[in-house]
């Protein structure tokens, strides 16, 4: 029973149309599912991924009319996206500049070359070289050349004031291995935990920042991070494990495109365990993913009402 990597990350936007333009246009990712937040159907849930909508490539957004995030600890503070090599980073340095997106240029951190930047709402992002390791298939309609496209999710960085309780959950409950540490761009200690075969697609980085106020979620923040559960049998085992250890959690939740379990680690960051299957082709063909509003069967009877409450992208 082992988590195999990052499954998806869900963030918050207050401007769905502009968000769609940035992530499909500027970043060249594929919109693979246009649906709604199943717990708040007034909000879009937009999924951007690679050309085949592979697990581990999904950066997703809830569309809520909220103020900007107030930054702080007890939160996820940066989402890295993987690219293949240094040539891709060179391409992105120019592409971001041409698009008017401020960035810090190419730098080396934790032994990997990267570019740090933010989207138009302050969502903290990074591009990191993965050397072709981890899921990622080019999208033929992307405005970014295939060799330089974003391949999927890379390391996710969360901030806590103290590592001890979070470390116990990561290692003793979730089975992650602490493999190294490094200094962040602002000099803070960052501890690297890996799962599965490791590598950029299977790492959680924990930044220790004592003395900061807790973050307040808003536009530009991250809602939760999900970890990959490869089979339904292991999903059942994880549900039993959380119950046995008396860790408060959501219980089994069927999201139609995957099955989920939610719980908060001791510093309040929301974690999800999500199955790789059934995937986004469960209700529409691969060739036309994301082109129309998809609703899971239990919401289909409310389609007219839901569509009436959504703004066009």
């Amino acid at each position: 029973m082992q988590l195999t990597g990052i499954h998806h990350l869900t963030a918050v936007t207050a401007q769905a149309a502009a968000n769609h333009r940035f992530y499909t246009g500027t970043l060249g990712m594929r919109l693979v599912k246009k649906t709604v937040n199943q717990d708040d159907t007034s909000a879009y849930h937009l999924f951007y991924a690679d050309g085949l909508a592979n697990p581990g490539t999904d950066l997703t957004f809830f569309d809520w009319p909220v103020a900007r995030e107030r930054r702080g600890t007890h939160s996820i503070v940066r989402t890295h996206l993987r690219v293949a090599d240094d040539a891709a980073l060179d391409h992105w340095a120019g592409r971001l500049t041409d698009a008017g997106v401020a960035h810090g240029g190419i730098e080396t951190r934790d032994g990997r070359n990267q570019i740090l930047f933010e989207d138009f709402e302050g969502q903290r992002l990074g591009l990191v070289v993965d050397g072709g390791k981890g899921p990622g298939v080019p999208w033929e309609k992307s405005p970014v050349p295939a060799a330089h496209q974003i391949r999927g999710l890379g390391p996710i960085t969360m901030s806590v004031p103290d590592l001890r309780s979070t470390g116990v959950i990561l290692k003793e409950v979730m089975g992650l291995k602490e493999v190294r540490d490094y200094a962040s761009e602002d000099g803070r200690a960052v501890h690297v935990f890996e799962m599965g075969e490791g590598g950029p697609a299977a790492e959680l980085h924990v930044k220790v920042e004592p003395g900061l106020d807790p973050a307040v979620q808003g536009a530009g923040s991250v809602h939760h991070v999900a970890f990959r559960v490869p089979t339904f049998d292991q999903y059942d085992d994880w549900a039993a494990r959380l119950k046995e250890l008396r860790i408060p959690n959501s219980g089994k939740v069927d999201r139609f495109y995957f099955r989920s379990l939610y719980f908060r680690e001791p510093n309040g960051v929301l974690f999800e365990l999500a199955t790789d299957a059934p995937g986004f082709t469960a209700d529409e063909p691969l060739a036309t993913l994301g082109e129309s509003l998809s609703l899971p069967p239990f919401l289909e009877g409310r389609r007219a009402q839901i569509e009436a409450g959504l703004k066009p992208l």
Side-chain angles (χ1 to χ4, degrees), residues 108-163:
T108 302
R109 184 79 53 186
D110 187 32
R112 297 179 183 138
N113 290 338
Q114 65 174 9
I115 298 174
L116 302 183
F117 66 103
E118 299 180 5
D119 78 1
F120 63 97
E121 291 178 299
Q123 185 70 235
R124 285 167 282 184
L125 302 167
L127 297 168
V128 64
V129 170
D130 71 358
K133 187 174 183 179
V137 175
W139 176 38
E140 62 181 11
K141 296 181 182 179
S142 175
V144 179
H148 302 326
Q149 284 181 31
I150 289 169
R151 291 172 34 77
L153 290 171
I156 306 302
T157 304
M158 59 183 280
S159 169
V160 299
D162 187 280
L163 180 65

Side-chain angles (χ1 to χ4, degrees), residues 172-186:
E172 304 301 325
V173 175
M174 298 172 65
L176 276 65
K177 296 180 293 185
E178 186 174 1
V179 292
R180 62 184 183 276
D181 58 72
Y182 64 95
S184 69
E185 59 274 10
D186 55 358

Side-chain angles (χ1 to χ4, degrees), residues 3 5-10 45 47 60 62 76 174 195 223-229 235 238 242 250-251 253-255 257-265 269-275:
L3 303 172
I6 305 298
H7 185 282
H8 68 267
L9 178 133
T10 296
H45 193 179
F47 290 76
T60 92
F62 294 145
I76 293 171
M174 298 172 65
M195 63 208 91
H223 188 268
H224 67 269
V225 61
F227 304 90
R228 294 179 65 180
V229 177
Y235 172 76
W238 279 109
L242 294 179
S250 64
V253 180
D254 187 348
R255 295 300 190 193
Y257 307 111
F258 41 83
R259 298 176 187 174
S260 299
L261 292 161
Y262 300 87
F263 64 98
R264 292 190 183 275
E265 56 81 39
V269 174
L270 183 59
F271 285 173
E272 177 183 354
L273 308 181
T275 59

Side-chain angles (χ1 to χ4, degrees), residues 3-293:
L3 303 172
T4 57
I6 305 298
H7 185 282
H8 68 267
L9 178 133
T10 296
V12 179
T13 179
Q15 301 179 56
N19 178 274
H20 178 255
R21 288 193 299 272
F22 183 84
Y23 285 91
T24 60
T26 303
L27 296 192
M29 301 179 75
R30 183 182 184 186
L31 179 66
V32 297
K33 190 62 61 177
K34 179 170 63 173
T35 185
V36 294
N37 182 327
Q38 295 177 10
D39 302 314
D40 174 12
T41 59
S42 68
Y44 277 117
H45 193 179
L46 304 176
F47 290 76
Y48 307 103
D50 74 344
L52 296 183
N54 281 307
T57 71
D58 308 329
L59 177 58
T60 92
F61 287 86
F62 294 145
D63 167 39
W64 284 326
V66 292
R68 288 284 184 95
E69 171 195 28
R70 189 182 76 195
R71 293 179 176 180
T73 190
H74 300 280
S75 65
I76 293 171
V77 297
R78 191 169 299 276
T79 302
H80 276 87
L81 304 167
R82 294 178 287 108
V83 297
D85 51 30
D86 288 337
L89 277 189
D90 287 337
H91 174 85
W92 278 102
R95 182 176 179 84
L96 292 173
T97 297
D98 291 346
V101 178
H103 61 86
I106 299 172
E107 60 175 289
T108 302
R109 184 79 53 186
D110 187 32
R112 297 179 183 138
N113 290 338
Q114 65 174 9
I115 298 174
L116 302 183
F117 66 103
E118 299 180 5
D119 78 1
F120 63 97
E121 291 178 299
Q123 185 70 235
R124 285 167 282 184
L125 302 167
L127 297 168
V128 64
V129 170
D130 71 358
K133 187 174 183 179
V137 175
W139 176 38
E140 62 181 11
K141 296 181 182 179
S142 175
V144 179
H148 302 326
Q149 284 181 31
I150 289 169
R151 291 172 34 77
L153 290 171
I156 306 302
T157 304
M158 59 183 280
S159 169
V160 299
D162 187 280
L163 180 65
R164 286 171 292 183
S165 58
T166 295
V168 169
I169 289 291
L170 295 179
K171 291 186 285 189
E172 304 301 325
V173 175
M174 298 172 65
L176 276 65
K177 296 180 293 185
E178 186 174 1
V179 292
R180 62 184 183 276
D181 58 72
Y182 64 95
S184 69
E185 59 274 10
D186 55 358
R188 301 283 193 168
V190 182
H191 300 261
V192 178
F193 294 81
E194 71 175 20
M195 63 208 91
E197 296 181 357
E203 291 178 355
L204 181 68
H205 293 200
V206 183
K207 186 177 184 180
V208 180
E209 298 187 289
L212 292 185
D213 289 336
V216 176
Q217 212 162 73
S221 69
V222 171
H223 188 268
H224 67 269
V225 61
F227 304 90
R228 294 179 65 180
V229 177
T231 67
F232 291 142
D233 286 344
Q234 289 195 31
Y235 172 76
D236 291 339
D237 291 341
W238 279 109
R241 179 169 178 77
L242 294 179
K243 182 178 180 180
E244 178 185 357
L245 294 175
R246 298 183 180 179
I247 295 174
N249 68 90
S250 64
K252 294 182 178 180
V253 180
D254 187 348
R255 295 300 190 193
F256 187 62
Y257 307 111
F258 41 83
R259 298 176 187 174
S260 299
L261 292 161
Y262 300 87
F263 64 98
R264 292 190 183 275
E265 56 81 39
N267 278 291
V269 174
L270 183 59
F271 285 173
E272 177 183 354
L273 308 181
T275 59
D276 282 357
F280 293 123
T281 56
D283 60 352
E284 57 183 344
L286 178 64
T288 58
L289 288 178
E291 293 182 8
S292 59
L293 181 69

